Amino acid sequence: MSNEHIEALTIAGHDSDGSAGMPADLHAFYARGVYGMGLLTAAVAGNSQGIFAQQLMPLDFIQKQFDVLNDDFKIKAVKTGMLANKDIIDVVAKNLKHYQMQNIVLDPVIITKHGATLLADDAYQAFLKKLVPLATIITPNFFEAQKLTGLELKNESEIKQGAKMLQKMGAKNVLIKGSHHNDRQPEVKDYLLLDDGSDEWLTKPYFKTDRVNGTGDTLSAVIAAELAKGNNVKTAVKIAKDFTYEALSHPINVGAKYGPINHLAAQEEMKQ
């Protein structure tokens, strides 16, 4: 079955090793049968051992990408990634509203899975005020959810409270990804709060591997792809959770250290 007419956009940085950022998003779009476009905000020089340099795109170049893509394509869903600073956040938010873009999956690239902060304070405030209210769904990792809510998220009750706080900030639906930093933990639990007030815990076994780069990008990108195809948020999130687990649990030997997850295995395991 051809889905060439279904188009989704990632607004993100390009990781030169192909493991995360825009490459991971485009891998995920393709694997779910959606035509993917990439609006470049930054380029990162990195490999499996680290990031060594980055170059931000000029604002007028980012603006031109918005203009030419919206002039030619029917974009059904948008996924955001690395936005880097306040000025880039401003131009992205302005264009999401101007072009009335729908099915916005906001992946907050604020804090890494290891707890390192990525946004300056003024950019963080712009993210809260200008992007969160536009989100069809926001998908913070555990550390990002702590930062966004100010809560420790030490138990299920606090996680539920945090998700409600994110809804009050403007996000229609919320997926708080569970912590996965303890090799002895048997499972990873994500919490989904929907705009109708219903909620669900999504659980997968913990899989120990150092092939984890692009995990969060892929999860959010698959959600965007499924929304573009017309699935509701709950279905999109469940498909994304299953896809990401399959990609994570079939490691591939690429790179010397923290390698990418395996989109090809996930595509095979989850035939559309």
Side-chain angles (χ1 to χ4, degrees), residues 203-265:
T203 304
K204 289 289 184 184
Y206 176 79
F207 187 86
K208 184 180 180 181
T209 176
D210 59 5
R211 307 287 144 169
V212 296
N213 282 358
T215 305
D217 300 302
T218 296
L219 180 73
S220 299
V222 174
I223 293 172
E226 297 305 318
L227 293 176
K229 289 154 70 172
N231 282 316
N232 61 38
V233 171
K234 184 176 181 178
T235 299
V237 169
K238 287 187 172 183
I239 291 171
K241 178 80 172 174
D242 290 344
F243 182 96
T244 305
Y245 180 75
E246 294 297 339
L248 188 69
S249 61
H250 292 82
I252 49 175
N253 187 22
V254 175
K257 196 174 181 183
Y258 298 108
I261 61 176
N262 189 350
H263 295 82
L264 293 176

Coordinates of all heavy atoms in Angstrom, one line a residue, residues 203-265:
T203 N 3.7 0.1 29.5 CA 4.8 -0.5 30.2 C 5.5 -1.5 29.2 O 4.8 -2.2 28.4 CB 4.4 -1.3 31.4 OG1 3.7 -0.5 32.3 CG2 5.5 -2.0 32.1
K204 N 6.8 -1.5 29.2 CA 7.6 -2.4 28.4 C 8.8 -2.9 29.3 O 9.2 -2.2 30.2 CB 8.3 -1.7 27.2 CG 7.3 -1.4 26.1 CD 6.8 -2.6 25.4 CE 5.9 -2.3 24.2 NZ 5.3 -3.5 23.6
P205 N 9.3 -4.1 29.1 CA 10.4 -4.6 29.8 C 11.6 -3.7 29.6 O 11.8 -3.2 28.6 CB 10.6 -6.0 29.3 CG 9.4 -6.4 28.6 CD 8.8 -5.1 28.1
Y206 N 12.4 -3.6 30.7 CA 13.7 -2.8 30.6 C 14.7 -3.7 29.7 O 14.9 -4.8 30.0 CB 14.3 -2.6 32.0 CG 15.6 -1.9 31.9 CD1 15.7 -0.5 31.7 CD2 16.8 -2.6 32.1 CE1 16.9 0.1 31.6 CE2 18.0 -2.0 32.0 CZ 18.1 -0.6 31.8 OH 19.3 0.0 31.8
F207 N 15.3 -3.0 28.8 CA 16.2 -3.7 27.9 C 17.6 -3.0 28.0 O 17.7 -1.8 27.7 CB 15.8 -3.7 26.4 CG 16.7 -4.6 25.6 CD1 16.4 -5.9 25.4 CD2 17.7 -4.0 24.9 CE1 17.2 -6.7 24.6 CE2 18.5 -4.8 24.0 CZ 18.3 -6.1 23.9
K208 N 18.5 -3.7 28.6 CA 19.9 -3.1 28.8 C 20.7 -3.1 27.5 O 21.0 -4.2 27.0 CB 20.6 -3.9 29.9 CG 21.9 -3.2 30.3 CD 22.6 -4.0 31.4 CE 24.0 -3.3 31.7 NZ 24.7 -4.1 32.8
T209 N 21.0 -1.9 27.1 CA 21.9 -1.8 25.9 C 22.5 -0.4 25.9 O 21.9 0.5 26.5 CB 21.0 -2.0 24.6 OG1 21.9 -1.8 23.4 CG2 19.9 -1.0 24.5
D210 N 23.6 -0.2 25.2 CA 24.2 1.1 25.0 C 23.8 1.6 23.6 O 24.3 2.7 23.2 CB 25.7 1.1 25.2 CG 26.4 0.2 24.3 OD1 25.8 -0.5 23.4 OD2 27.7 0.0 24.5
R211 N 23.0 0.9 22.8 CA 22.5 1.3 21.5 C 21.2 2.1 21.7 O 20.1 1.5 21.5 CB 22.3 0.1 20.6 CG 23.6 -0.7 20.5 CD 24.6 -0.1 19.7 NE 26.0 -0.4 20.2 CZ 27.1 -0.1 19.6 NH1 27.1 0.5 18.4 NH2 28.3 -0.3 20.1
V212 N 21.2 3.3 22.2 CA 20.0 4.0 22.6 C 19.9 5.4 21.9 O 18.9 6.1 22.2 CB 20.0 4.2 24.1 CG1 20.0 2.9 24.9 CG2 21.3 5.0 24.6
N213 N 20.8 5.8 21.1 CA 20.7 7.1 20.5 C 19.5 7.2 19.6 O 19.3 6.3 18.7 CB 22.0 7.4 19.7 CG 23.2 7.8 20.6 OD1 23.0 7.9 21.8 ND2 24.3 8.1 20.0
G214 N 18.8 8.2 19.7 CA 17.6 8.5 18.9 C 16.3 7.8 19.4 O 15.3 7.9 18.7
T215 N 16.4 7.3 20.6 CA 15.2 6.7 21.2 C 14.0 7.7 21.3 O 12.9 7.4 20.8 CB 15.5 6.1 22.6 OG1 16.6 5.2 22.5 CG2 14.3 5.3 23.1
G216 N 14.2 8.8 22.0 CA 13.2 9.8 22.1 C 12.7 10.4 20.8 O 11.5 10.6 20.6
D217 N 13.7 10.7 20.0 CA 13.3 11.2 18.6 C 12.4 10.3 17.9 O 11.4 10.7 17.3 CB 14.6 11.4 17.8 CG 15.6 12.4 18.4 OD1 15.2 13.5 18.7 OD2 16.7 12.0 18.7
T218 N 12.8 9.0 17.9 CA 12.0 8.0 17.2 C 10.6 7.9 17.7 O 9.6 7.8 17.0 CB 12.7 6.7 17.2 OG1 14.0 6.8 16.6 CG2 11.9 5.6 16.6
L219 N 10.5 7.8 19.1 CA 9.1 7.7 19.7 C 8.2 8.9 19.2 O 7.1 8.7 18.8 CB 9.3 7.7 21.2 CG 8.0 7.6 22.0 CD1 7.4 6.2 21.9 CD2 8.2 8.0 23.4
S220 N 8.7 10.1 19.3 CA 7.9 11.3 19.0 C 7.7 11.3 17.5 O 6.6 11.7 17.0 CB 8.7 12.5 19.4 OG 8.8 12.5 20.8
A221 N 8.6 10.9 16.6 CA 8.4 10.9 15.2 C 7.4 9.9 14.8 O 6.6 10.2 13.9 CB 9.8 10.6 14.5
V222 N 7.4 8.7 15.4 CA 6.3 7.7 15.0 C 5.0 8.2 15.5 O 4.0 8.0 14.7 CB 6.7 6.4 15.7 CG1 5.5 5.4 15.4 CG2 7.9 5.8 15.1
I223 N 4.9 8.9 16.6 CA 3.6 9.5 17.0 C 3.1 10.5 15.9 O 2.0 10.4 15.5 CB 3.7 10.2 18.3 CG1 4.0 9.2 19.5 CG2 2.4 11.0 18.6 CD1 4.3 9.9 20.8
A224 N 4.0 11.3 15.4 CA 3.7 12.3 14.4 C 3.3 11.6 13.1 O 2.3 11.9 12.4 CB 4.9 13.2 14.1
A225 N 4.0 10.5 12.7 CA 3.6 9.8 11.5 C 2.2 9.2 11.6 O 1.4 9.2 10.7 CB 4.7 8.7 11.3
E226 N 1.9 8.6 12.8 CA 0.6 8.0 13.0 C -0.5 9.0 13.0 O -1.6 8.8 12.5 CB 0.6 7.1 14.2 CG 1.6 5.9 14.2 CD 1.4 5.0 12.9 OE1 0.2 4.7 12.6 OE2 2.4 4.6 12.3
L227 N -0.3 10.2 13.6 CA -1.3 11.2 13.6 C -1.5 11.7 12.1 O -2.6 12.0 11.7 CB -0.8 12.4 14.4 CG -0.8 12.1 16.0 CD1 -0.2 13.4 16.7 CD2 -2.1 11.8 16.5
A228 N -0.4 11.8 11.4 CA -0.5 12.2 10.0 C -1.4 11.2 9.2 O -2.1 11.6 8.2 CB 0.8 12.3 9.3
K229 N -1.4 10.0 9.6 CA -2.1 8.9 8.9 C -3.6 8.9 9.4 O -4.4 8.1 8.8 CB -1.5 7.6 9.1 CG -0.2 7.4 8.4 CD 0.8 6.4 9.0 CE 0.3 5.0 8.9 NZ 1.4 4.0 9.4
G230 N -3.9 9.7 10.4 CA -5.3 9.8 10.8 C -5.6 9.0 12.1 O -6.8 9.0 12.5
N231 N -4.6 8.4 12.7 CA -4.8 7.7 14.0 C -5.0 8.7 15.1 O -4.5 9.9 15.0 CB -3.7 6.8 14.3 CG -3.7 5.5 13.5 OD1 -4.7 4.9 13.4 ND2 -2.5 5.1 13.0
N232 N -5.8 8.3 16.1 CA -5.9 9.2 17.3 C -4.7 9.2 18.1 O -3.8 8.3 17.9 CB -7.2 8.9 18.1 CG -7.2 7.5 18.6 OD1 -6.1 7.0 19.1 ND2 -8.3 6.8 18.6
V233 N -4.6 10.1 19.1 CA -3.4 10.2 19.9 C -3.1 8.9 20.7 O -1.9 8.4 20.7 CB -3.5 11.4 20.9 CG1 -2.3 11.4 21.9 CG2 -3.5 12.7 20.1
K234 N -4.1 8.3 21.3 CA -3.9 7.1 22.0 C -3.3 6.0 21.2 O -2.3 5.3 21.5 CB -5.2 6.6 22.7 CG -5.0 5.4 23.6 CD -6.4 5.1 24.3 CE -6.3 3.9 25.2 NZ -7.6 3.6 25.9
T235 N -3.9 5.7 20.0 CA -3.4 4.7 19.1 C -2.0 5.0 18.6 O -1.1 4.2 18.6 CB -4.3 4.6 17.9 OG1 -5.6 4.2 18.4 CG2 -3.8 3.5 16.9
A236 N -1.7 6.3 18.3 CA -0.4 6.7 17.8 C 0.7 6.5 18.8 O 1.7 6.0 18.5 CB -0.5 8.2 17.4
V237 N 0.4 6.8 20.1 CA 1.3 6.6 21.2 C 1.6 5.1 21.4 O 2.8 4.7 21.5 CB 0.9 7.3 22.5 CG1 1.7 6.8 23.6 CG2 0.8 8.8 22.3
K238 N 0.6 4.3 21.3 CA 0.8 2.9 21.5 C 1.7 2.3 20.4 O 2.6 1.4 20.6 CB -0.5 2.1 21.6 CG -1.2 2.4 23.0 CD -2.5 1.5 23.1 CE -3.1 1.7 24.5 NZ -4.2 0.8 24.7
I239 N 1.4 2.7 19.2 CA 2.2 2.2 18.0 C 3.6 2.7 18.2 O 4.6 1.9 18.0 CB 1.6 2.7 16.7 CG1 0.3 2.0 16.4 CG2 2.6 2.4 15.5 CD1 -0.5 2.5 15.2
A240 N 3.8 3.9 18.6 CA 5.2 4.5 18.8 C 5.9 3.8 19.9 O 7.1 3.5 19.8 CB 5.1 6.0 19.1
K241 N 5.2 3.4 21.0 CA 5.9 2.7 22.1 C 6.3 1.3 21.6 O 7.5 0.9 21.9 CB 4.9 2.6 23.2 CG 5.4 1.8 24.4 CD 6.3 2.7 25.3 CE 6.6 1.9 26.6 NZ 7.6 2.7 27.4
D242 N 5.5 0.6 20.9 CA 5.8 -0.7 20.4 C 7.0 -0.6 19.4 O 7.9 -1.4 19.5 CB 4.6 -1.4 19.7 CG 3.5 -1.8 20.7 OD1 3.8 -1.8 21.9 OD2 2.4 -2.0 20.3
F243 N 6.9 0.3 18.5 CA 8.0 0.5 17.5 C 9.3 0.8 18.1 O 10.3 0.2 17.8 CB 7.6 1.6 16.5 CG 8.6 1.8 15.4 CD1 8.4 1.2 14.1 CD2 9.7 2.6 15.6 CE1 9.3 1.4 13.1 CE2 10.6 2.8 14.5 CZ 10.4 2.2 13.3
T244 N 9.3 1.7 19.1 CA 10.6 2.1 19.7 C 11.2 0.9 20.5 O 12.4 0.7 20.5 CB 10.4 3.3 20.6 OG1 9.8 4.4 19.8 CG2 11.7 3.8 21.1
Y245 N 10.3 0.2 21.1 CA 10.8 -1.0 21.9 C 11.5 -2.0 20.9 O 12.5 -2.6 21.2 CB 9.7 -1.7 22.7 CG 10.2 -2.8 23.5 CD1 11.0 -2.7 24.6 CD2 10.0 -4.1 23.0 CE1 11.5 -3.8 25.3 CE2 10.5 -5.2 23.7 CZ 11.2 -5.0 24.9 OH 11.7 -6.1 25.5
E246 N 10.8 -2.3 19.8 CA 11.4 -3.2 18.8 C 12.7 -2.7 18.3 O 13.7 -3.5 18.2 CB 10.4 -3.5 17.7 CG 9.2 -4.2 18.1 CD 9.4 -5.6 18.6 OE1 10.4 -6.2 18.3 OE2 8.5 -6.1 19.3
A247 N 12.8 -1.4 18.0 CA 14.1 -0.8 17.5 C 15.2 -0.9 18.6 O 16.4 -1.1 18.3 CB 13.8 0.6 17.1
L248 N 14.8 -0.7 19.9 CA 15.8 -0.7 21.0 C 16.2 -2.1 21.3 O 17.4 -2.4 21.6 CB 15.1 -0.1 22.2 CG 15.9 0.2 23.4 CD1 16.9 1.3 23.1 CD2 15.1 0.6 24.6
S249 N 15.3 -3.1 21.2 CA 15.6 -4.4 21.7 C 16.2 -5.3 20.6 O 16.4 -6.5 20.8 CB 14.3 -5.1 22.2 OG 13.3 -5.2 21.2
H250 N 16.5 -4.8 19.4 CA 17.3 -5.5 18.4 C 18.5 -4.7 18.0 O 18.6 -4.0 17.0 CB 16.4 -5.7 17.1 CG 15.2 -6.6 17.3 ND1 14.0 -6.2 17.9 CD2 15.1 -7.9 17.0 CE1 13.2 -7.2 17.9 NE2 13.8 -8.3 17.4
P251 N 19.5 -4.7 18.9 CA 20.7 -3.8 18.8 C 21.5 -4.1 17.5 O 21.5 -5.2 17.0 CB 21.5 -4.1 20.0 CG 20.6 -4.7 21.0 CD 19.6 -5.4 20.2
I252 N 22.0 -3.0 16.9 CA 22.9 -3.2 15.8 C 24.3 -2.6 16.1 O 24.4 -1.7 16.9 CB 22.4 -2.5 14.5 CG1 22.0 -1.1 14.8 CG2 21.3 -3.3 13.9 CD1 21.5 -0.3 13.6
N253 N 25.3 -3.2 15.6 CA 26.7 -2.9 15.9 C 27.2 -1.7 15.0 O 27.9 -2.0 14.0 CB 27.6 -4.1 15.8 CG 29.0 -3.8 16.3 OD1 29.2 -2.9 17.1 ND2 30.0 -4.6 15.9
V254 N 26.7 -0.5 15.3 CA 27.1 0.7 14.5 C 27.7 1.7 15.5 O 27.1 2.0 16.5 CB 25.9 1.3 13.8 CG1 26.3 2.6 13.1 CG2 25.3 0.4 12.8
G255 N 29.0 2.0 15.3 CA 29.7 3.0 16.1 C 30.4 2.3 17.3 O 30.1 1.1 17.6
A256 N 31.3 3.0 17.9 CA 32.2 2.4 18.9 C 31.6 2.4 20.3 O 31.9 1.6 21.1 CB 33.5 3.2 18.9
K257 N 30.6 3.4 20.6 CA 30.1 3.5 21.9 C 28.6 3.5 22.0 O 28.0 2.5 21.9 CB 30.7 4.7 22.6 CG 30.6 4.8 24.1 CD 31.3 6.0 24.6 CE 31.3 6.0 26.2 NZ 31.9 7.2 26.7
Y258 N 28.0 4.7 22.1 CA 26.5 4.8 22.2 C 25.9 4.9 20.8 O 25.7 5.9 20.2 CB 26.1 6.0 23.0 CG 26.6 6.0 24.4 CD1 27.7 6.8 24.9 CD2 26.1 5.1 25.4 CE1 28.2 6.7 26.2 CE2 26.6 5.0 26.7 CZ 27.6 5.8 27.0 OH 28.1 5.8 28.3
G259 N 25.6 3.7 20.3 CA 25.1 3.6 18.9 C 23.6 3.9 18.8 O 22.9 4.1 19.7
P260 N 23.1 3.8 17.5 CA 21.7 4.1 17.2 C 20.8 2.9 17.5 O 21.3 1.7 17.6 CB 21.7 4.4 15.7 CG 22.9 3.5 15.2 CD 23.9 3.5 16.3
I261 N 19.5 3.1 17.6 CA 18.6 2.0 17.7 C 18.3 1.5 16.2 O 18.7 2.2 15.3 CB 17.3 2.5 18.4 CG1 16.6 3.6 17.7 CG2 17.6 2.9 19.8 CD1 15.2 4.0 18.3
N262 N 17.6 0.4 16.2 CA 17.5 -0.3 14.9 C 16.1 -0.1 14.2 O 15.2 -0.9 14.5 CB 17.8 -1.8 15.1 CG 17.9 -2.6 13.9 OD1 17.6 -2.1 12.8 ND2 18.3 -3.8 14.0
H263 N 15.9 0.9 13.4 CA 14.7 1.2 12.8 C 14.3 0.1 11.8 O 13.1 -0.2 11.6 CB 14.7 2.5 12.0 CG 14.9 3.7 12.9 ND1 16.1 4.1 13.4 CD2 14.0 4.6 13.4 CE1 15.9 5.2 14.2 NE2 14.7 5.5 14.2
L264 N 15.3 -0.5 11.2 CA 15.0 -1.6 10.2 C 14.3 -2.8 10.9 O 13.4 -3.4 10.3 CB 16.3 -2.0 9.5 CG 16.9 -1.0 8.6 CD1 18.2 -1.5 8.0 CD2 15.9 -0.6 7.4
A265 N 14.8 -3.2 12.0 CA 14.2 -4.3 12.7 C 12.8 -4.0 13.2 O 11.9 -4.8 13.1 CB 15.1 -4.7 14.0

